[in-house]
Amino acid sequence: MAEDAARNVKVALRVRIMSGKEIANNEVNCVTVTDQPGQGQQLMLEGPETVTFAFDHVFAMEVDQPVVFEHVGKPVLESALSGYNATIFAYGQTGSGKSYCMAGTPTNPGIIPRVNELLWQRVEQETSQ
């Protein structure tokens, strides 16, 4: 990992799937995720006026846990193992998917169990050499 990349703050956003209640109420998705060459990943909020926000990573509703881990969790762990301070901060309103993204489920683990698994693999590799 390049030293500059290890020092930069990265901002990732994950769009959650619509809830059963939202679907039952016939609510519509107002979020579009785009990947513009040279502009990075963007989140567009559509309404009376469309607003666009840019982030280092934007994960659409259909993105699986392993993809989020590869782009967020793994680089943070690698940075920490290289001696840099590393933090993943999950923020959002109640029901926005923070616990699912970070902890996951027994059959589809989130960032924390995946980081722990990779960390112990690395410890095992380092101690067996």
mmCIF file of all heavy atoms in Angstrom, residues 55 66-67 101 119:
data_model
loop_
_atom_site.group_PDB
_atom_site.id
_atom_site.type_symbol
_atom_site.label_atom_id
_atom_site.label_comp_id
_atom_site.label_asym_id
_atom_site.label_seq_id
_atom_site.Cartn_x
_atom_site.Cartn_y
_atom_site.Cartn_z
ATOM 1 N N PHE A 55 -17.993 10.161 -3.661
ATOM 2 C CA PHE A 55 -17.344 9.447 -2.557
ATOM 3 C C PHE A 55 -16.211 8.607 -3.122
ATOM 4 O O PHE A 55 -16.147 8.360 -4.327
ATOM 5 C CB PHE A 55 -18.353 8.521 -1.853
ATOM 6 C CG PHE A 55 -19.498 9.239 -1.227
ATOM 7 C CD1 PHE A 55 -20.674 9.452 -1.937
ATOM 8 C CD2 PHE A 55 -19.425 9.705 0.071
ATOM 9 C CE1 PHE A 55 -21.751 10.114 -1.360
ATOM 10 C CE2 PHE A 55 -20.496 10.367 0.659
ATOM 11 C CZ PHE A 55 -21.656 10.567 -0.069
ATOM 12 N N PRO A 66 -18.772 -9.506 0.547
ATOM 13 C CA PRO A 66 -17.356 -9.678 0.199
ATOM 14 C C PRO A 66 -16.782 -8.509 -0.598
ATOM 15 O O PRO A 66 -15.614 -8.154 -0.425
ATOM 16 C CB PRO A 66 -17.334 -10.969 -0.628
ATOM 17 C CG PRO A 66 -18.561 -11.708 -0.233
ATOM 18 C CD PRO A 66 -19.582 -10.653 0.095
ATOM 19 N N VAL A 67 -17.588 -7.887 -1.425
ATOM 20 C CA VAL A 67 -17.119 -6.749 -2.225
ATOM 21 C C VAL A 67 -16.836 -5.551 -1.314
ATOM 22 O O VAL A 67 -15.803 -4.887 -1.456
ATOM 23 C CB VAL A 67 -18.151 -6.383 -3.319
ATOM 24 C CG1 VAL A 67 -17.735 -5.123 -4.060
ATOM 25 C CG2 VAL A 67 -18.345 -7.539 -4.282
ATOM 26 N N CYS A 101 -23.935 -4.288 7.735
ATOM 27 C CA CYS A 101 -22.690 -4.073 7.007
ATOM 28 C C CYS A 101 -21.470 -4.444 7.857
ATOM 29 O O CYS A 101 -20.543 -5.081 7.376
ATOM 30 C CB CYS A 101 -22.608 -2.616 6.563
ATOM 31 S SG CYS A 101 -21.281 -2.283 5.400
ATOM 32 N N LEU A 119 -7.119 -11.243 9.822
ATOM 33 C CA LEU A 119 -6.092 -10.923 10.809
ATOM 34 C C LEU A 119 -5.473 -12.194 11.375
ATOM 35 O O LEU A 119 -4.242 -12.326 11.451
ATOM 36 C CB LEU A 119 -6.682 -10.075 11.937
ATOM 37 C CG LEU A 119 -5.739 -9.744 13.092
ATOM 38 C CD1 LEU A 119 -4.531 -8.963 12.610
ATOM 39 C CD2 LEU A 119 -6.493 -8.978 14.171
#
